[in-house]
Amino acid sequence: MCGIVGYIGGQNAAPILLEGLTRLEYRGYDSAGIAVLGAKNAQVHRVVGRVRNLAAALPKRLTGKVGIGHTRWATHGPASEANAHPHTSEDGRICVVHNGIIDNADALRAQLADAGVTLASETDTEVLAHLIARSGADTLEDAVVEAVSRITGTYAIAVTDTAHPDRLVIARNGSPLIIGVGEREMFVASDLAALVRHTSQVAHLDDGEFATVFATGYRTFTVDESDTTKPATEIDIAAEDLDLGGYPHYMAKEIQEQPESVERIIRGRLDDRFGVARLDGLNLTPRELRGFSRVKILGCGSAYYAGQVGATMIEELARIPADAEAASEFRYRNPIIEADTLYIAVSQSGETIDTAFAVEEIKRKGGRVVGLVNVVGSTIARACDGGVYLHAGPEIAVASTKALTNMAIGFALIALALGRVRDLSNADGQRIIDALRAMPGQIKSILDEGPRIAEHAKEFATANSLFFVGRVRGYPVAREGAQKFKEISYRHAEAYQTSELKHGPLALIDAALPTVAIVPADELTDRNLAAVQQIKARGGAVLAVTHEDVDFGELDVPRIVVPKTEPELDPILLTIPLQLLAYHAALSLGYDIDKPRNLAKSVTVE
Ligand code: AGP
């Protein structure tokens, strides 16, 4: 969703801002703009559409060494030039870019209008520019503090003032904001991706924190103006990690990277001697691990489905009741938070607002919550009491792949840690460890099947509607398969428990509605095969994602065969072909695979 960049230093700001905005494109947006401080005034340029349109619309000579930029995802008012950021005060002195939502914007807009202010947009953000400009405070910092004290909601903001061209003032509450430290130049961004080309030294603002950013340094402070000391830390992302690296799409790249990203999450964490996973970041002693009698996993979208995979693993390996719930629903049902429940928040971006709110709710009620998060230093990672980083590397494509695989592996590691302080034997722990070690090679062999899967995908892409079915361990696999398919190919894809087909959905089966069936070699194989038979008997086409040992007998069903692992871990490998299926379906339909319509990489508003 929305993205912020800012620059102050010795170089021309415009190209740096544009490059930063390009780096944030993957988050999803509908308009873009920049403001550059010139000798006397701020030059503001905004367009509907892509950053490249903005670049084309800029005057040839746009000079100025201080500026802010923004990619907007429309919330208040449609995508239009007037609604694009930066927003300015009536006299043009103050420019503001904002991520998040101001809940009391309507009331503030009415008050400003009553006071004679002409509002130039339909946005919530614009009120900030006017509030700051109209403040009687002595300093820009005080004016920003005063303005944000009048708003409720979430924000990350960056402000310029033509009267103070030596600084940017920034503030954060519920939406990420990072300062990048350069050599006599400073950068600001809502996402590391916009900074990595320039610096590896960053400081993350916390909620409720403000900063004044000069070319030569920065000062962080709180609402009552007390200094917070926020030293910069080194980040571990290289600029090349964010390039396509010869692939046609980020999604293709990220699918292919999985053997290495799986290596990374398990590296140094598998303890052969005791058949356990070493997860120091959880900040839980063996005694504390033993004390939990329930596990509750919270995530959104595909992360929620990965949570369902994880809940089953934890129940099977640790024999603790575990379930996953959509974080977006959690806090609205006034959840009961129990002291002996281990809460796990799972998120690739670490910025999904619904998951962040769920964490807040758990902590507010005194619960213990750990994170399974990919982005180091992200909001959710920092809000949790401990956690396991996924180490999947940067994920740019909106459709998540390698991060989800690492989430499932992360759950296997947590299941081992919980299981080995209970009844899981050393031998069983070792069995899982060996299987995890074999996984990168097994994933590679599935990826080698890409061309064959592409053929099936082309066929399935012609259907308007599809079913994905699976049972128990296979059900979240089916849910994720349907999710990936619909996200990027815009085909209606619905997941069902195979066992539920006969209770309703079977009525829809005919030659026009194909089914992808998850049929692992496990205790439910016969039942899954019986369901496949029922679908076939009604003229429905079936593609089975299955194991070598499954005997389809007389059933004429095309198959994608994945290597067998330990049964508890089967869902991880069964999901990989479904990523390829979705990718190749979208490719054959000619869609924008990395930036599907209406979707954003990290959903930072409710
Ligand atoms: C996955 O392909 C989706 N784009 C989406 O469901 C995603 O998993 C969800 O929005 C959660 O994101 P997070 O992992 O960054 O929290």
Side-chain angles (χ1 to χ4, degrees):
M1 290 188 152
C2 304
I4 287 177
V5 294
Y7 176 76
I8 183 162
Q11 305 186 58
N12 249 351
I16 294 171
L17 297 174
L18 287 174
E19 194 265 336
L21 292 180
T22 307
R23 293 272 156 198
L24 299 184
E25 282 193 302
Y26 79 97
R27 298 172 65 90
Y29 70 106
D30 46 46
S31 50
I34 59 171
V36 174
L37 292 194
K40 291 200 188 79
N41 56 3
Q43 306 166 68
V44 180
H45 298 275
R46 303 176 296 189
V47 297
V48 175
R50 292 283 158 102
V51 175
R52 61 172 176 268
N53 306 347
L54 175 66
L58 294 182
K60 286 251 162 355
R61 286 179 54 77
L62 178 55
T63 50
K65 295 175 176 173
V66 183
I68 51 179
H70 193 260
T71 45
R72 173 177 187 251
W73 170 282
T75 54
H76 290 64
S80 68
E81 195 181 318
N83 288 336
H85 301 206
H87 290 285
T88 54
S89 55
E90 282 181 298
D91 57 4
R93 182 170 69 84
I94 299 294
C95 295
V96 179
V97 289
H98 163 227
N99 288 355
I101 290 187
I102 300 173
D103 295 332
N104 59 340
D106 287 349
L108 290 169
R109 285 176 67 90
Q111 285 168 24
L112 286 163
D114 287 348
V117 174
T118 307
L119 290 145
S121 75
E122 296 161 77
T123 66
D124 53 345
T125 303
E126 188 188 348
V127 301
L128 275 169
H130 299 302
L131 292 175
I132 295 166
R134 291 166 67 84
S135 155
D138 292 339
T139 64
L140 175 61
E141 286 78 355
D142 285 348
V144 172
V145 168
E146 191 185 303
V148 301
S149 308
R150 292 186 58 188
I151 63 173
T152 55
T154 55
Y155 55 82
I157 58 169
V159 181
T160 60
D161 181 348
T162 53
H164 297 282
D166 63 336
R167 69 194 63 191
L168 302 171
V169 175
I170 61 175
R172 167 192 167 136
N173 183 43
S175 220
L177 206 50
I178 309 161
I179 301 170
V181 180
E183 198 56 47
R184 304 189 72 76
E185 58 183 356
M186 293 282 168
F187 307 85
V188 168
S190 52
D191 184 321
L192 281 175
L195 298 178
V196 288
R197 274 200 183 263
H198 306 287
T199 179
S200 58
Q201 293 290 316
V202 302
H204 293 262
L205 283 201
D206 281 314
D207 280 347
E209 211 168 21
F210 298 77
T212 307
V213 183
F214 304 100
T216 49
Y218 61 92
R219 172 191 162 237
T220 52
F221 55 95
T222 58
V223 71
D224 58 9
E225 296 276 347
S226 17
D227 283 358
T228 53
T229 311
K230 196 43 78 72
T233 54
E234 185 82 19
I235 46 165
D236 66 349
I237 304 176
E240 310 79 74
D241 295 343
L242 299 165
D243 292 338
L244 272 170
Y247 287 93
H249 303 99
Y250 282 105
M251 186 179 177
K253 177 181 182 227
E254 288 154 11
I255 289 174
Q256 296 298 329
E257 280 173 348
Q258 289 176 109
E260 295 84 54
S261 57
V262 168
E263 289 277 8
R264 278 200 300 273
I265 188 177
I266 58 176
R267 190 173 302 146
R269 285 172 164 161
L270 301 178
D271 181 337
D272 291 285
R273 195 156 151 234
F274 296 107
V276 72
R278 234 183 281 122
L279 301 173
D280 299 340
L282 282 181
N283 297 332
L284 292 167
T285 62
R287 191 180 293 261
E288 286 171 321
L289 280 171
R290 243 202 100 77
F292 294 116
S293 53
R294 189 175 290 276
V295 174
K296 170 69 121 186
I297 299 163
L298 295 148
C300 291
S302 292
Y304 160 44
Y305 305 147
Q308 288 191 310
V309 169
T312 307
M313 278 180 194
I314 290 168
E315 288 206 341
E316 290 192 293
L317 293 170
R319 302 305 294 152
I320 312 176
D323 77 317
E325 181 175 340
S328 46
E329 292 286 289
F330 183 69
R331 80 179 165 132
Y332 291 103
R333 58 175 185 78
N334 191 16
I336 298 163
I337 302 299
E338 293 161 310
D340 60 349
T341 296
L342 173 64
Y343 294 89
I344 306 177
V346 58
S347 174
Q348 185 286 128
S349 61
E351 302 296 348
T352 301
I353 197 97
D354 290 315
T355 311
F357 280 152
V359 170
E360 202 177 289
E361 177 77 5
I362 296 161
K363 293 196 74 176
R364 199 176 57 76
K365 292 181 171 171
R368 187 81 174 242
V369 56
V370 297
L372 204 49
V373 175
N374 194 35
V375 178
V376 175
S378 56
T379 302
I380 295 168
R382 289 184 308 139
C384 287
D385 299 311
V388 178
Y389 276 122
L390 300 176
H391 298 309
E395 196 180 66
I396 306 289
V398 165
S400 185
T401 52
K402 62 176 180 171
L404 296 174
T405 301
N406 277 21
M407 282 175 195
I409 293 189
F411 282 118
L413 299 177
I414 293 176
L416 271 181
L418 287 165
R420 288 290 292 125
V421 291
R422 291 181 170 73
D423 296 336
L424 188 74
S425 66
N426 193 336
D428 265 338
Q430 195 57 54
R431 170 175 73 80
I432 299 298
I433 284 180
D434 293 344
L436 288 172
R437 283 225 174 84
M439 222 154 244
Q442 291 177 310
I443 292 176
K444 188 155 183 334
S445 75
I446 300 172
L447 298 179
D448 291 343
E449 288 294 294
R452 240 173 50 77
I453 297 172
E455 289 308 310
H456 294 300
K458 271 186 222 147
E459 233 173 85
F460 274 56
T462 60
N464 283 324
S465 195
L466 298 94
F467 278 172
F468 284 72
V469 297
R471 289 195 74 159
V472 188
R473 296 184 200 112
Y475 177 51
V477 175
R479 292 189 90 180
E480 173 51 19
Q483 167 96 328
K484 211 93 300 165
F485 208 89
K486 74 183 119 194
E487 259 187 309
I488 56 171
S489 72
Y490 313 146
R491 292 292 185 253
H492 170 242
E494 206 166 348
Y496 279 105
Q497 283 126 331
T498 315
S499 52
E500 283 290 300
L501 277 177
K502 57 188 177 300
H503 296 294
L506 207 54
L508 286 173
I509 296 285
D510 63 14
L513 191 137
T515 299
V516 177
I518 314 302
V519 189
D522 62 12
E523 57 283 6
L524 289 167
T525 307
D526 289 347
R527 287 171 197 273
N528 278 319
L529 287 173
V532 169
Q533 197 152 26
Q534 286 172 17
I535 297 167
K536 293 281 292 175
R538 282 151 186 86
V542 175
L543 172 66
V545 179
T546 187
H547 292 130
E548 189 69 54
D549 290 352
V550 176
D551 179 6
F552 281 74
E554 303 288 289
L555 277 173
D556 178 20
V557 172
R559 278 162 248 182
I560 300 170
V561 175
V562 305
K564 186 83 181 92
T565 173
E566 291 302 321
E568 298 90 338
L569 305 181
D570 275 339
I572 302 172
L573 297 182
L574 289 163
T575 305
I576 310 283
L578 303 183
Q579 303 170 344
L580 289 163
L581 195 73
Y583 173 79
H584 287 290
L587 191 66
S588 74
L589 292 165
Y591 291 132
D592 186 351
I593 293 182
D594 287 334
K595 296 189 207 78
R597 69 184 181 206
N598 305 337
L599 297 178
K601 181 63 181 166
S602 55
V603 184
T604 50
V605 294
E606 272 197 277

